[in-house]
Coordinates of all heavy atoms in Angstrom, one line a residue:
R1 N 19.8 -74.0 14.0 CA 19.2 -75.2 13.3 C 18.5 -75.9 14.3 O 17.3 -76.5 14.1 CB 20.4 -76.2 12.6 CG 19.7 -77.3 12.0 CD 19.0 -77.2 10.8 NE 19.8 -76.8 9.7 CZ 20.5 -77.6 8.8 NH1 20.4 -78.8 8.9 NH2 21.2 -77.0 7.9
H2 N 19.1 -76.4 15.4 CA 18.3 -77.2 16.4 C 17.1 -76.5 17.0 O 16.0 -77.0 17.4 CB 19.3 -77.5 17.5 CG 20.2 -78.6 17.2 ND1 20.1 -79.6 16.2 CD2 21.5 -78.9 17.6 CE1 21.1 -80.4 16.0 NE2 22.0 -80.0 17.0
A3 N 17.3 -75.1 17.3 CA 16.1 -74.4 17.9 C 15.0 -74.3 16.9 O 13.9 -74.5 17.4 CB 16.7 -72.9 18.2
R4 N 15.3 -74.1 15.7 CA 14.3 -74.1 14.6 C 13.5 -75.5 14.6 O 12.4 -75.6 14.4 CB 14.7 -73.7 13.4 CG 15.1 -72.1 13.3 CD 15.5 -71.7 11.7 NE 15.6 -70.3 11.6 CZ 16.8 -69.8 11.4 NH1 18.0 -70.5 11.1 NH2 17.0 -68.4 11.2
G5 N 14.5 -76.6 14.6 CA 14.0 -77.9 14.4 C 13.1 -78.3 15.6 O 12.0 -78.9 15.5
K6 N 13.4 -77.8 16.8 CA 12.6 -78.1 18.1 C 11.3 -77.4 18.0 O 10.3 -78.0 18.3 CB 13.4 -77.7 19.3 CG 14.6 -78.5 19.5 CD 15.3 -78.0 20.8 CE 16.5 -78.9 21.1 NZ 17.4 -78.2 22.3
A7 N 11.3 -76.2 17.5 CA 10.1 -75.4 17.5 C 9.2 -76.0 16.4 O 7.9 -76.2 16.6 CB 10.4 -73.9 17.1
A8 N 9.7 -76.3 15.2 CA 8.9 -76.9 14.1 C 8.2 -78.3 14.3 O 7.2 -78.6 14.1 CB 9.8 -77.0 12.9
A9 N 9.0 -79.1 15.2 CA 8.6 -80.5 15.5 C 7.7 -80.6 16.7 O 7.1 -81.6 17.0 CB 9.8 -81.4 15.8
A10 N 7.5 -79.4 17.4 CA 6.7 -79.4 18.6 C 5.3 -79.6 18.2 O 4.8 -79.2 17.1 CB 6.8 -78.1 19.4
A11 N 4.5 -80.2 19.1 CA 3.0 -80.4 18.9 C 2.3 -79.0 18.7 O 2.7 -78.0 19.3 CB 2.4 -81.2 20.0
P12 N 1.2 -79.1 18.0 CA 0.4 -77.8 17.7 C 0.0 -77.2 19.0 O -0.3 -78.1 20.0 CB -0.7 -78.3 16.8 CG -0.2 -79.5 16.1 CD 0.8 -80.3 17.2
S13 N -0.2 -76.0 19.1 CA -0.5 -75.4 20.5 C -1.3 -74.0 20.1 O -1.0 -73.4 19.2 CB 0.7 -75.2 21.2 OG 0.4 -74.5 22.4
G14 N -2.1 -73.7 21.1 CA -2.9 -72.5 21.0 C -2.0 -71.3 21.6 O -2.2 -70.2 21.5
E15 N -0.7 -71.7 22.2 CA 0.0 -70.7 22.8 C 1.3 -70.6 21.9 O 1.6 -71.5 21.0 CB 0.6 -71.3 24.1 CG -0.6 -71.6 25.1 CD -1.6 -70.5 25.5 OE1 -1.2 -69.4 25.2 OE2 -2.6 -70.7 26.1
L16 N 2.1 -69.5 22.2 CA 3.3 -69.2 21.4 C 4.2 -70.4 21.7 O 4.7 -70.7 22.9 CB 4.0 -68.0 21.7 CG 5.1 -67.5 21.1 CD1 4.8 -67.2 19.6 CD2 5.7 -66.3 21.6
V17 N 4.8 -71.2 20.6 CA 5.7 -72.3 20.8 C 7.1 -71.9 20.7 O 7.5 -71.0 19.9 CB 5.5 -73.3 19.6 CG1 6.4 -74.4 19.8 CG2 4.0 -73.8 19.7
I18 N 8.0 -72.4 21.6 CA 9.3 -71.9 21.8 C 10.3 -73.1 21.6 O 10.0 -74.1 22.3 CB 9.7 -71.3 23.2 CG1 8.8 -70.0 23.3 CG2 11.1 -70.8 23.3 CD1 9.0 -69.3 24.7
G19 N 11.3 -73.0 20.9 CA 12.4 -74.0 20.7 C 13.6 -73.4 21.0 O 13.7 -72.2 20.6
A20 N 14.4 -74.1 21.6 CA 15.9 -73.3 22.0 C 16.9 -74.4 22.0 O 16.7 -75.6 22.3 CB 15.6 -72.6 23.4
D21 N 18.0 -73.8 21.8 CA 19.2 -74.7 21.9 C 20.4 -74.0 22.3 O 20.7 -72.8 21.9 CB 19.5 -75.4 20.6 CG 20.6 -76.6 20.6 OD1 20.2 -77.6 21.4 OD2 21.5 -76.4 20.1
T22 N 21.3 -74.5 23.1 CA 22.6 -73.9 23.5 C 23.7 -74.7 23.1 O 23.9 -76.1 23.2 CB 22.5 -74.0 25.1 OG1 21.6 -73.0 25.5 CG2 24.0 -73.3 25.6
V23 N 24.8 -74.0 22.5 CA 25.9 -74.7 22.0 C 27.1 -74.0 22.6 O 27.2 -72.8 22.7 CB 26.1 -74.7 20.4 CG1 27.3 -75.1 20.0 CG2 25.0 -75.4 19.8
V24 N 28.1 -74.8 23.2 CA 29.4 -74.3 23.8 C 30.4 -74.3 22.6 O 30.6 -75.3 22.0 CB 29.8 -75.2 24.9 CG1 31.4 -74.6 25.4 CG2 28.9 -74.7 26.1
D25 N 31.0 -73.1 22.2 CA 31.9 -73.1 21.2 C 33.4 -72.7 21.6 O 33.6 -71.6 22.2 CB 31.4 -71.8 20.3 CG 32.2 -71.4 19.2 OD1 33.4 -72.0 18.9 OD2 31.8 -70.5 18.3
L26 N 34.3 -73.8 21.3 CA 35.6 -73.5 21.8 C 36.4 -73.5 20.5 O 36.5 -74.6 19.8 CB 36.1 -74.6 22.6 CG 37.5 -74.7 23.1 CD1 37.8 -73.5 24.0 CD2 37.9 -76.0 23.9
D27 N 36.9 -72.4 20.1 CA 37.7 -72.1 18.9 C 37.0 -72.7 17.8 O 37.7 -73.2 16.8 CB 39.1 -72.8 19.1 CG 39.8 -72.1 20.3 OD1 39.6 -71.2 20.6 OD2 40.7 -73.1 21.0
G28 N 35.7 -72.4 17.6 CA 35.0 -72.9 16.4 C 34.5 -74.3 16.4 O 33.8 -74.7 15.5
E29 N 34.8 -75.0 17.5 CA 34.3 -76.4 17.6 C 33.2 -76.5 18.7 O 33.3 -75.9 19.8 CB 35.3 -77.3 18.1 CG 35.0 -78.8 18.4 CD 36.1 -79.6 18.9 OE1 37.2 -79.1 19.0 OE2 35.7 -80.7 19.4
A30 N 32.1 -77.1 18.3 CA 30.9 -77.3 19.1 C 31.1 -78.4 20.1 O 31.4 -79.5 19.8 CB 29.7 -77.4 18.4

């Protein structure tokens, strides 16, 4: 969700836009 959100909210660009997010998962808890 966060990766897609970052990519969608990024300013328009003539280059390939990348959004990314990292989550640490401990027993199902972020």
